[in-house]
């Protein structure tokens, strides 16, 4: 009888993640998807308030060059109680900045599990999966899951109609979101 050939184990694939809190709840995001971490104070002069009746989770917009960043309130997005956010994550490859309570730590994720069947509604679009960190199950967010294409279209249409109506332009060149000493590089976070 022949024994099966021993299989080589695949090397463990790791990913750097940032553990953060929204309304006291713990979440994770890939550190590669976070372009900047800023204090909410740095937004005060750069953010313009917008009112989109159908989308309460977005109350502010920041103009960066020719692109508009929509500031998503993490608590409203996840359906959690209101809170006073302290930080803003500017997310890569999206037009989203996310308001969060704070950062717990930066760590390494070695396993991403598929979402359990209990996640059956919009949250299936919000999360990549779940991971276990220090014996705690933590949902790992999708950066592109904070604003759907339909929501982006609604927000863009609202901006265009405001501009056509003669509202003040949204140009904030140099008004607080260009790189400053208050900008943190996710790689410099505590591990």
């Amino acid at each position: 009888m022949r024994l099966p050939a021993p299989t080589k184990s695949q090397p463990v694939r790791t990913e750097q993640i940032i553990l953060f809190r929204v309304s006291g709840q713990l979440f994770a995001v890939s550190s590669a998807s976070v372009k900047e971490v800023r204090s909410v104070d740095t937004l005060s002069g750069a953010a313009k308030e917008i009112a989109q009746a159908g989308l309460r989770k977005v109350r502010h917009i920041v103009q960066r060059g020719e692109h508009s960043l929509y500031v998503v309130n993490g608590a409203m997005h996840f359906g959690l109680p209101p809170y006073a956010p302290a930080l803003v994550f500017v997310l890569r490859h999206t037009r989203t900045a996310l308001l969060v309570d704070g950062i717990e730590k930066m760590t390494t994720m070695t396993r991403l599990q598929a979402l359990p069947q209990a996640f059956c509604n919009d949250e299936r679009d919000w999360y990549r999966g779940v991971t276990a960190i220090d014996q705690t199950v933590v949902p790992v967010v999708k950066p592109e899951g904070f604003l759907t294409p339909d929501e982006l279209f609604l927000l863009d249409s609202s901006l265009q109609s405001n501009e056509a109506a003669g509202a003040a332009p949204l140009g904030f060149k140099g008004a607080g979101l260009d790189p400053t000493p208050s900008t943190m590089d996710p790689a410099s976070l505590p591990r």
Side-chain angles (χ1 to χ4, degrees), residues 148-165:
T148 67
D150 289 341
E151 290 170 332
L152 284 168
F153 179 78
L154 183 67
L155 290 164
D156 289 342
S157 298
S158 173
L159 283 180
Q160 289 172 354
S161 66
N162 283 347
E163 289 172 3

Side-chain angles (χ1 to χ4, degrees), residues 6-187:
T7 59
K8 290 185 180 179
S9 62
Q10 296 291 334
V12 176
R13 183 177 162 181
T14 63
E15 182 177 351
Q16 290 294 113
I17 58 172
I18 300 171
L19 294 177
F20 64 96
R21 291 201 180 269
V22 172
S23 292
Q25 298 297 313
L26 191 62
F27 297 91
V29 66
S30 169
S31 63
S33 65
V34 178
K35 184 176 182 178
E36 296 175 31
V37 179
R38 304 189 64 88
S39 166
V40 292
D41 297 338
T42 62
L43 286 180
S44 61
K48 171 137 177 110
E49 192 164 344
I50 59 173
Q52 181 56 43
L55 201 57
R56 293 181 42 224
K57 67 182 176 182
V58 178
R59 288 283 172 229
H60 295 89
I61 183 171
V62 176
Q63 193 71 24
R64 282 193 127 180
E66 294 187 19
H67 301 285
S68 302
L69 284 179
Y70 296 106
V71 182
V72 174
N73 182 311
M76 293 185 87
H77 174 77
F78 293 118
L80 296 170
Y83 69 104
L87 297 175
V88 178
F89 288 173
V90 177
L91 302 174
R92 289 186 200 282
H93 311 297
T94 70
R95 295 175 50 211
T96 307
L98 179 66
L99 294 172
V100 303
D101 294 3
I103 294 172
E104 193 75 18
K105 67 180 178 177
M106 189 167 176
T107 190
T108 302
M109 173 176 69
T110 57
R111 175 176 275 175
L112 180 66
Q113 294 289 121
L115 285 175
Q117 292 299 320
F119 293 84
C120 58
N121 294 311
D122 290 337
E123 62 268 16
R124 293 208 72 83
D125 296 324
W126 300 345
Y127 305 116
R128 293 174 47 204
V130 294
T131 191
I133 304 291
D134 299 329
Q135 299 182 349
T136 301
V137 176
V138 180
V140 181
V141 299
K142 283 185 197 175
E144 64 278 2
F146 290 103
L147 290 172
T148 67
D150 289 341
E151 290 170 332
L152 284 168
F153 179 78
L154 183 67
L155 290 164
D156 289 342
S157 298
S158 173
L159 283 180
Q160 289 172 354
S161 66
N162 283 347
E163 289 172 3
L170 292 175
F172 292 100
K173 264 194 177 158
L177 275 186
D178 38 331
T180 63
S182 64
T183 302
M184 290 187 277
D185 178 8

